[in-house]
């Protein structure tokens, strides 16, 4: 049947069909890449589950359940647009900022650059921990952080031990808030992060830890917190808070978890 279908279409039509399939695959791939590590990915999973249940109930003949899921699908689109209005707006703004060259290539960090950034972050974190200087450092992974960068002061500077320490020195203009570091530079400082609503957080943790946990619940970033009360180093990622990292443990964690390879994006 497939051979008969292919014999009835011309070469040009076949090429168009193949390009059409590749384009759909590429768009789905980019969508999943953008949603990875965000609550949007949970939304996609929920939609797939609802569609799967609708097909299942329709197949076995459950009329009432099929009708209910039909209504959920029909009105769910409007509900999604209302609930996720901020995310949809940011997505449209992101599309407007995207350049073709950035779509066609994967932004990667060389091994030397990655090692340099990790060393600068670890050295500065150790220095601040010993002197009880509070700090909040966000290491961007695959989820974009443009909305949080826009809430702070853009820097776009090379990542150095001295600059990180200088930014978090108390009573300086940029010390209050989070620093965001991407694959090659310090993007911004004094950024505002969302606070976590998790009520199981110990009362001993302050605003920095709650902000770090809040961002980790929405993105796949690694957030490093230095407590000014205890001098302990903590890490938040994927909604988990782990505290009391040593210098070696912090280095190992960043080497293993920061900047995943392209094949691990999905």
């Amino acid at each position: 049947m497939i051979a008969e279908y292919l014999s009835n279409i011309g070469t040009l039509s076949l090429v168009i069909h193949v390009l059409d399939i590749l384009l759909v695959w590429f768009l789905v791939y980019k969508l999943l890449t953008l949603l990875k590590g965000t609550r949007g990915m949970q939304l996609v999973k929920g939609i797939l589950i609802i569609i799967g249940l609708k097909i299942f109930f329709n197949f076995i003949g459950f009329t009432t359940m099929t009708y209910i899921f039909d209504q959920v699908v029909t009105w769910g689109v409007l509900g999604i647009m209302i609930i996720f209005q901020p995310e949809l707006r940011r997505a449209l703004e992101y599309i407007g900022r995207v350049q073709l060259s950035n779509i066609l290539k994967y932004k990667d960090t060389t091994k030397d650059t990655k090692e340099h950034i990790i060393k600068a972050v670890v050295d500065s974190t150790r220095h601040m921990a010993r002197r009880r200087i509070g700090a909040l450092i966000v290491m961007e992974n695959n989820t974009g952080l443009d909305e949080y960068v826009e809430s702070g002061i853009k820097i776009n500077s090379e990542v150095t031990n001295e600059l990180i320490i200088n930014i978090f020195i108390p009573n300086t203009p940029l010390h209050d808030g989070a620093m965001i570091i991407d694959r090659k530079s310090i993007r911004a400082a004094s950024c505002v992060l969302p606070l976590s609503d998790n009520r199981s957080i110990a009362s001993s943790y302050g605003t920095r830890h709650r902000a770090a946990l809040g961002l980790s619940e929405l993105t796949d970033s690694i957030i490093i917190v230095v407590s000014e009360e205890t001098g302990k180093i903590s890490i938040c990622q994927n909604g988990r808070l782990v505290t009391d990292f040593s210098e070696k443990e912090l280095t190992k964690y960043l080497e293993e978890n920061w900047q995943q390879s392209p094949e691990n994006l999905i």
Side-chain angles (χ1 to χ4, degrees), residues 63-103:
T63 307
T64 304
M65 291 301 299
T66 301
Y67 173 78
I68 292 174
F69 276 94
D70 282 338
Q71 298 305 310
V72 170
V73 172
T74 301
W75 294 101
V77 175
L78 180 60
I80 290 172
M81 293 179 65
I82 296 174
I83 296 173
F84 289 91
Q85 183 271 335
E87 283 77 8
L88 292 173
R89 177 179 58 82
R90 287 194 295 269
L92 292 175
E93 292 176 350
Y94 174 82
I95 293 173
R97 291 193 297 264
V98 168
Q99 297 180 359
L100 182 61
S101 58
N102 292 333
I103 296 177

Side-chain angles (χ1 to χ4, degrees), residues 134-173:
L136 185 57
I137 303 174
V138 179
M139 309 287 287
E140 181 179 303
N141 258 329
N142 301 313
T143 305
L145 300 176
D146 288 355
E147 62 177 300
Y148 305 109
V149 170
E150 292 170 358
S151 69
I153 306 299
K154 293 184 180 180
I155 296 178
N156 295 322
S157 173
E158 179 185 355
V159 182
T160 65
N161 173 21
E162 295 80 6
L163 180 56
I164 295 175
I165 294 173
N166 190 64
I167 287 176
F168 286 110
I169 292 295
N171 301 321
T172 55

Side-chain angles (χ1 to χ4, degrees), residues 45 147 197 225:
K45 293 179 181 178
E147 62 177 300
D197 294 327
V225 186

Side-chain angles (χ1 to χ4, degrees), residues 17 25 60 77 106 116 139 167 177 183 195 237 251 253:
H17 289 325
W25 174 86
I60 62 178
V77 175
Y106 175 79
H116 167 75
M139 309 287 287
I167 287 176
R183 300 174 186 272
L195 298 180
Q237 188 177 26
T251 301
Y253 188 92

